[in-house]
């Protein structure tokens, strides 16, 4: 966040992410790609449980759970010189390994149903999937994981003209 007047264009106070998440959760996606400067700031927030907005002078107490995701294993991050070990220790309290989609094919049916509902506009009914389409989706290796599946379903919903989604 920042305080009014702290830089050109700061016409009002802006509440930061950790302050917004008070008693909630902050999700940090691809935390391994963070710059070292941002890693230092995050480590301070996690250790001190407070933030100082840009241009501010007083710390603000924050109470938010942090969930961090990375496509790299913690062991790989430990061997990396670009990721702070002390931050990894702070983040790696509970480590949940989520296998790639190709290793949990039973999830595909549920994810497809969710993405069909999500990407069908307005109050229309989601298009139906032919059995052969679901079989195709279940056998595809999904190198891009869930994001690739979601994009494929969004594309199919957008381009669908027949009412039923076919493998083609």
């Amino acid at each position: 966040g920042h305080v009014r007047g702290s830089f050109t264009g700061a016409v009002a106070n802006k509440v930061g992410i950790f302050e917004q998440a008070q008693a909630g959760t902050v999700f940090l996606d691809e935390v391994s790609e963070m710059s070292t400067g941002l890693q230092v700031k995050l480590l301070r927030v996690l250790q001190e449980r407070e933030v100082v907005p840009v241009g501010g002078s007083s710390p603000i107490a924050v109470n938010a759970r942090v969930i961090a995701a990375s496509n790299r294993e913690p062991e790989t991050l430990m061997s990396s010189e670009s990721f702070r070990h002390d931050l990894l220790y702070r983040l790696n309290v509970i480590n949940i390994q989520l296998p790639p989609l190709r290793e949990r094919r039973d999830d595909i049916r549920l994810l497809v149903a969710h993405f069909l509902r999500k990407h069908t506009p307005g109050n229309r009914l989601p298009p139906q999937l032919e059995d052969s389409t679901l079989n195709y989706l279940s056998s595809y290796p999904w190198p891009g994981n869930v994001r690739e599946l979601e994009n494929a379903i969004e594309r199919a919903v957008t381009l669908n003209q027949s009412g039923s989604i076919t493998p083609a």
Side-chain angles (χ1 to χ4, degrees):
H2 61 260
V3 297
R4 180 177 182 259
S6 59
F7 54 87
T8 304
V11 294
N13 290 348
K14 182 175 184 285
V15 176
I17 292 171
F18 279 91
E19 198 176 351
Q20 287 178 41
Q22 221 37 288
T25 303
V26 172
F27 176 62
L28 303 172
D29 198 10
E30 295 301 344
V31 71
S32 60
E33 304 303 317
M34 246 183 224
S35 70
T36 51
L38 190 53
Q39 289 178 42
V40 170
K41 291 176 183 180
L42 177 59
L43 182 60
R44 184 182 175 282
V45 170
L46 296 175
Q47 287 177 338
E48 305 299 326
R49 297 203 173 271
E50 63 184 23
V51 295
V52 178
V54 173
S57 57
S58 303
I60 299 169
V62 293
N63 176 26
R65 174 187 320 115
V66 174
I67 297 175
S70 174
N71 63 358
R72 293 165 50 192
E73 299 287 333
E75 296 78 27
T76 306
L77 292 175
M78 285 301 285
S79 64
S80 167
E81 293 189 21
S82 62
F83 197 83
R84 294 181 58 101
H85 295 174
D86 48 356
L87 177 57
L88 182 61
Y89 296 138
R90 185 67 66 182
L91 290 172
N92 200 18
V93 175
I94 298 173
N95 188 328
I96 300 171
Q97 293 289 327
L98 186 60
L101 189 55
R102 67 183 164 275
E103 293 177 17
R104 48 192 180 93
R105 297 195 183 277
D106 291 342
D107 291 354
I108 291 173
R109 179 182 298 273
L110 294 170
L111 288 166
V112 165
H114 168 71
F115 294 141
L116 283 170
R117 286 189 305 273
K118 178 180 177 181
H119 293 292
T120 299
N123 49 2
R124 291 183 15 210
L125 288 174
Q128 296 297 308
L129 247 63
E130 291 184 1
D131 289 340
S132 58
T133 305
L134 196 52
N135 290 338
Y136 173 78
L137 294 174
S138 295
S139 65
Y140 182 74
W142 298 110
N145 279 307
V146 176
R147 288 184 183 120
E148 183 183 7
L149 174 62
E150 180 174 10
N151 287 339
I153 297 303
E154 182 178 12
R155 182 172 45 255
V157 168
T158 302
L159 298 176
N160 179 38
Q161 295 179 355
S162 68
S164 182
I165 296 178
T166 66

